[in-house]
Structures are given as structure tokens and as C-alpha cells.
Amino acid sequence: MSTYLGGSRAFWTMNMQRRHRAAAGSISVGLALALSLGTAALPATADVVHDVVPVGDRPESIAVNTTTDIAYVATWEGIFSVGGSGGGGRIYLPSDYPSDLAVNSKTNRVYVSDSNSVTVIDGLTHTATNIPVGAKAGVLAVNEKTNKVYVSTPSGLMIIDGATNTVTPIPNSTGAQDMAVNSATSKVYALSGGTVKVIDASGKITSTVSVGADGISAIAINPSNNKIYFTTTPKYGSSVKVIDGASDTITGSMTSEGPLGTLAVNPATDKIYVESGTWSSDGSIKVVDGATLAETAHIVTATRVRNIVVNPSNNKIYATMTGRGTTIIDGRNDTSTALYTGQEPTAAVVNTSNDKVYVVNAESDSVGVIDGNTEQPVKSDFNGDRKADILARDTTGVLWLYPGDGSGGWLPRVQVGQGWNVMNALVAPGDFNGDGFADVLARDGGGVLWLYPGDGSGGWLARVQVGSGWESMSAIEAVDFHGDGFVDVVARARDGAIWVYRGDGKGGWLPRTWAGSGWSGMSEITGVADFNGDGVSDLVARDGDGTLWLYPPNGYGSWLSKQTIGQGWNVMNSLVGPGDFNGDGRADILARNAAGELWLYAGNGGTSWPAASKVGSGWNGMTVIL
């Protein structure tokens, strides 16, 4: 709701064995509006961040044992484990900064690039054995079927026998920037000097695939059809090409106007997900049909994509983004949402056995654990049907619930309260007390702040006082300011200062913090959920000129640079941020004009606006909409 108090108002990518590193109606007729905005595709199931685990400084590579559900992270302070029954922590301190690690889930062994050796760590006892490889160890890959480990060094590629720890050089090889194992054929594809070296099961290079020097930027394998996909650099024309694994020759290509980067393939659907865009713009992902090499969808992301991993068990795709946030794509319909796990997410890995995703947060030195089997509460779902709703108070103080139909329209309204005229501020924060149901915060004439807990069925539990002295605030809104999954309240004082009252996730508060000044010129302040698609809920504010500004929190208790997202908004006298109202997985804004018309501005995950759609009339009889 907009409250203007001064007036009316996981892992599958390069192969099936290892993770891929980051590159870099009118109210008078009961609102039976029969509005047709088009049938929206089912949105992506919004996974939840199950935990955020601190690890060592500058975490980089990550791999997971799919049997024990323990993820291993290489940091500048050693190798840390996350998950499992042991509680995690540092398990090994290498002699040098580790550049890579890999896991064999069948043998419960962890392999770490450690100076001029590869260290083998027993996943149960954490005992370590160093295997000299004669030069600086780099990228690693494991073939669980053959129990062989492939390691890159400046002097060439090596094979370690996982049973005996013996090392065998691969003749005529050079160092690799990445390696991928085809688990069906046991061939290894090494991205080396911009070409792909094909290594057979016996350890010999059998062919080299090239489009020109330094012409290949990333590769991904689909073992189910023995196809290898790669992207080419702009130097040779950006494209996605396919290699037939039987002949190891290029058999198809799809060109791209813009540059392409990292990619991943879902072996269950043979869809390819390719990073596209430039560093100076929002990012995006191209969805490509592996059989036809035709682009089938283009998904905008808040910032540039750094890494893409795929979980074929539930057909979800996870893309970490520069700055913060992980975009989650539902492979069934190419809709997307985003989650915040920490600052600068880079590498990620999926455990396909339980649908957990582990995301490395390079700047906040942590690993975010995403549970792919748990749904996030819908922000304004008051009746429990997992569709965003609207509450509105009329001039007599009656509170009405207008259930959304999930496609930008309405079901018949229901009275859910009376006597609400005693409240001079109402906020729909989502789930404030942590019980999974949408709540309401309301301030009375004495400055007391009340929590009305929703019961999940369109009604209320007993109200609880959660504050006093709030009469000094000229605007109150709710966002998840810190990206921790708990609702916070942003309040503007009479002097224009913005304060953040951090929620504890249980209906209480942590200490408030100052978050800016000079907000007196804003005539409207509204929380709009995650409008720009970076995983953190946002605030919008309208200034005296009618310009609408987006203020994205940075997750650290402050703001990123504000962005203009609209002009001429002075014609609107109320703004509402219901979350995803039209069912496309993106946060929307509802706005009422002086004629009482209600308009839907459907967000697209960025900062640009599509055309508005009228979704109601007769709303000027409402004193508050939230």
C-alpha cells in the first residue's frame, strides 16, 4: 500500500559431474470486472533462501557431494564445508590460495588445486593427501564413472587415477581454462586457448575444435544426446554452436547480434541458457532450443549474468547476477523471479538429489543455501490462494478484501473489517510475524502501531501492539531492506529523514537505523516488492514534479543509485505495491487517478515500463488502498 500521511492516499551446467565457475471493475458492481488482460503463464515457483553460511575470505569455487549434501568452498582462508550433519567450517588449509576444487560423490573425495599439487581430502575424516603434479594446479574436473580426475597445469593436462592417486600426463596438451566431462562417453572437452581439445577415455587428444584463435568462450555438454554446445567470441561473430559428440565436428550454429558469454544446458529438455548483454546495460538470458538452435525466449535480468546452473530434476535454472541477486527461471514457461543470497554472487552448484542450490557470495564471504522445494509466501495473499490481493477502506471505515484472480483481474470482494477509520496509516507488509500469512500494520490517532496478523483465510487474529510514538512519522512503508527475508519498515520523519525499523521476522524489532535525508519533497512513498528483479524489495517515491523514482536497497542498510521509472505521476493520488498482481512472476504497481480509475503497471524485472492496463473504476470511494 502507499501511505501518504499528509493527505489522501543448484548443479548442472558444464557436465553432470561438476559446477561451472563464474566468468565474470467498478466497485458498485462488486468488482466482478470480467477484465481480460490475457492469460498469464504460471510464474516460477519462488524458492526460498534456507540459510546463509559464513565462510572464509574471498570464496570462489564450489562443488557439492550429492550423496552427503555437503558443499565445499575454496576461499583464501582454506576449504570450508557447508551443510551436512557436521555443522560445517574449515576442513583444510592449503599451502597456497586454492584455484579450484571438485568432488567425487561416489568415493566421497574432495580434490583441491593446491600450489604444485592436487590435495585429496577424505570427506568423512578430512584427512588430506597431496599428489604432486609438477606445476601450478588449476582447473579440475571429475569423472565419477571412471574415478578419474583431470587437472590443468601450465605445462599441460594431467589425469589422476582416483583409486591409486597415480598421475599420467596427457600428451601434446596445454593448460585449460575449463574442462567438461561427458559422463555418457567419458570424453573430456577442454577449453584451451580458445579452442576445444577432445580427450578420449584412454587419455589421448583425438581432435581439436576451433573457429579461430581465441574464438570459443564457454562450453556445456548434454550427455543425453551426446551434444556439446559452445559460445563464440565477438571477434568471430557471437554465436551458439553445436558439436556432434560422435564425430566431434561442428554441425550447427545460431548467430547473435550481441555478445554471448557463459551457458548451461538442461539435459532433460535440451534447452540451452546463454548469457547475453553488455556490462553497461541490464543483463539477459537467451533460451535456445538445442535441436533447432532457435531462440525461444529472452529473459531480462537486473544486472549482468555471471554464472548459470541448471537443475534438470525440477526444470529450474539459476543465474547469479553482478552485484547481488540470483534469477530463477521456471523452465516450463520461461517465467522468472529473483532471490537475494548475499553480495556479489558468483559460482553456484545444485544438488539434484534434494533440489538445494548453493550460491557463493564473493563480497559478503558466505554461501547462500536456496531450498528449491519451498515456496515463498505471496506478499499480499490474504485469503491463502497464492494470488496477490488488495485491501481497501471506504469512507465509512469498512475494510474490504478484493481477491486477485492471479491474472490481473478480480474475484468478488469480501468485507473483512469495520471501524478502521480510527487508523490514519495502513501498511500491507506481507508476512511480518513469520507465520507465513500476510499481515497489516496500522497506526491509530495516538501514534500506536498495531499488528493485525492475517489468518491466511481472509480474516484476522487478535491484534498486537508493536510500537508507540509513531505520530512523528509522515510516511510508513514496508520493504525487506536488508534482503534477509524479514519485513522491515521504512518511515519518514517530519524533518525528511528516512529511518529503517528492522523487523526480526517474529513480529518485533531490531534497532532502527538512519537511511537518508531530504525526503520531505516526496509526495508518495510506496514499497513495491522486488520491482527491478535483483532479489531485494524496492521503494518507489514520487517527487513534486510527478517523477517516479525507484530506490533499490543494497542489502547493506543503504541504497543503490536511484533510477527514474516514470514521469507525469501527479495525476495519480494513490500508489499500491501488491507484489505480483498479474501472475507473471514480476512485481507490479497499481495506481489510482483522480477519476477513480485503477491502473496496472506491470513490472518486467527492470526499470522500464510496459503499457498500462486499466483494471477498475469507481475507486475514488476508497480512502485507503493497500
Side-chain angles (χ1 to χ4, degrees), residues 306-390:
R306 306 185 71 162
N307 189 22
I308 305 173
V309 293
V310 175
N311 186 355
S313 70
N314 60 11
N315 198 8
K316 292 182 183 179
I317 299 85
Y318 301 83
T320 60
M321 297 179 291
T322 302
R324 68 199 189 283
T326 296
T327 292
I328 305 169
I329 302 171
D330 188 329
R332 300 170 302 171
N333 48 43
D334 298 322
T335 57
S336 64
T337 55
L339 283 178
Y340 174 84
T341 61
Q343 296 290 335
E344 291 293 345
T346 55
V349 66
V350 175
N351 186 348
T352 57
S353 67
N354 60 10
D355 300 329
K356 287 184 179 179
V357 185
Y358 297 87
V359 180
V360 172
N361 304 307
E363 189 172 313
S364 48
D365 299 335
S366 64
V367 172
V369 185
I370 300 174
D371 185 347
N373 294 318
T374 303
E375 293 183 325
Q376 269 189 341
V378 176
K379 178 181 181 290
S380 293
D381 174 24
F382 292 98
N383 61 1
D385 62 358
R386 296 200 57 79
K387 298 167 186 175
D389 309 316
I390 295 295

Side-chain angles (χ1 to χ4, degrees), residues 102-473:
V103 171
N104 189 329
S105 298
K106 289 186 177 179
T107 63
N108 198 14
R109 296 290 186 269
V110 184
Y111 296 87
V112 182
S113 295
D114 186 1
S115 189
N116 293 335
S117 66
V118 172
T119 299
V120 187
I121 305 173
D122 187 292
L124 180 62
T125 65
H126 297 169
T127 56
T129 303
N130 291 317
I131 305 174
V133 294
K136 174 67 177 177
V139 63
L140 300 168
V142 170
N143 186 339
E144 292 187 350
K145 184 167 68 175
T146 63
N147 195 16
K148 289 182 179 180
V149 184
Y150 298 83
V151 54
S152 171
T153 75
S155 59
L157 305 178
M158 311 281 179
I159 302 176
I160 300 175
D161 188 309
T164 64
N165 288 342
T166 56
V167 180
T168 304
I170 297 178
N172 304 315
S173 64
T174 57
Q177 294 79 54
D178 215 336
M179 291 185 291
V181 177
N182 188 334
S183 58
T185 64
S186 291
K187 287 183 179 181
V188 178
Y189 294 80
L191 179 55
S192 181
T195 65
V196 175
K197 305 289 185 181
V198 184
I199 304 162
D200 67 11
S202 69
K204 296 180 181 179
I205 296 176
T206 57
S207 63
T208 298
V209 179
S210 176
V211 296
D214 298 320
I216 299 175
S217 57
I219 57 174
I221 294 175
N222 186 348
S224 67
N225 62 5
N226 197 16
K227 303 293 183 183
I228 300 86
Y229 304 99
F230 66 86
T231 53
T232 61
T233 60
K235 178 179 179 180
Y236 294 95
S238 296
S239 66
V240 177
K241 297 186 186 297
V242 58
I243 300 171
D244 174 65
S247 62
D248 291 323
T249 58
I250 298 174
T251 58
S253 179
M254 183 201 80
T255 60
S256 171
E257 293 183 359
L260 304 176
T262 189
L263 77 167
V265 60
N266 186 340
T269 64
D270 198 30
K271 283 187 177 182
I272 312 163
Y273 299 86
V274 190
E275 171 215 349
S276 63
T278 65
W279 287 107
S280 61
S281 67
D282 293 342
S284 64
I285 295 173
K286 292 180 181 291
V287 184
V288 179
D289 185 291
T292 64
L293 292 185
E295 182 177 337
T296 60
H298 190 88
I299 299 167
V300 175
T301 58
T303 57
R304 180 74 181 264
V305 171
R306 306 185 71 162
N307 189 22
I308 305 173
V309 293
V310 175
N311 186 355
S313 70
N314 60 11
N315 198 8
K316 292 182 183 179
I317 299 85
Y318 301 83
T320 60
M321 297 179 291
T322 302
R324 68 199 189 283
T326 296
T327 292
I328 305 169
I329 302 171
D330 188 329
R332 300 170 302 171
N333 48 43
D334 298 322
T335 57
S336 64
T337 55
L339 283 178
Y340 174 84
T341 61
Q343 296 290 335
E344 291 293 345
T346 55
V349 66
V350 175
N351 186 348
T352 57
S353 67
N354 60 10
D355 300 329
K356 287 184 179 179
V357 185
Y358 297 87
V359 180
V360 172
N361 304 307
E363 189 172 313
S364 48
D365 299 335
S366 64
V367 172
V369 185
I370 300 174
D371 185 347
N373 294 318
T374 303
E375 293 183 325
Q376 269 189 341
V378 176
K379 178 181 181 290
S380 293
D381 174 24
F382 292 98
N383 61 1
D385 62 358
R386 296 200 57 79
K387 298 167 186 175
D389 309 316
I390 295 295
L391 293 172
R393 182 185 66 188
D394 65 23
T395 55
T396 67
V398 172
L399 193 66
W400 297 92
L401 169 65
Y402 293 86
D405 66 2
S407 300
W410 310 93
L411 302 176
R413 73 174 184 173
V414 181
Q415 181 177 334
V416 293
Q418 58 186 3
W420 285 72
N421 274 341
V422 299
M423 300 297 176
N424 56 26
L426 297 174
V427 181
D431 178 20
F432 185 72
N433 62 359
D435 64 357
F437 303 138
D439 307 316
V440 166
L441 290 169
R443 183 186 65 182
D444 64 23
V448 176
L449 193 65
W450 298 91
L451 168 65
Y452 289 80
D455 65 2
S457 299
W460 312 101
L461 303 176
R463 73 175 186 175
V464 180
Q465 182 176 337
V466 293
S468 59
W470 284 73
E471 68 274 9
S472 62
M473 298 299 174

Side-chain angles (χ1 to χ4, degrees), residues 53-115:
V53 182
V55 295
D57 187 35
R58 301 191 185 185
E60 296 180 352
S61 301
I62 188 169
V64 66
N65 186 318
T66 58
T67 301
T68 63
D69 191 33
I70 298 176
Y72 299 91
V73 191
T75 81
W76 282 27
E77 297 180 51
I79 307 303
F80 286 72
S81 66
V82 176
S85 59
R90 187 167 66 186
I91 64 170
Y92 177 69
L93 182 61
S95 59
D96 197 1
Y97 299 134
S99 59
D100 199 14
L101 81 170
V103 171
N104 189 329
S105 298
K106 289 186 177 179
T107 63
N108 198 14
R109 296 290 186 269
V110 184
Y111 296 87
V112 182
S113 295
D114 186 1
S115 189

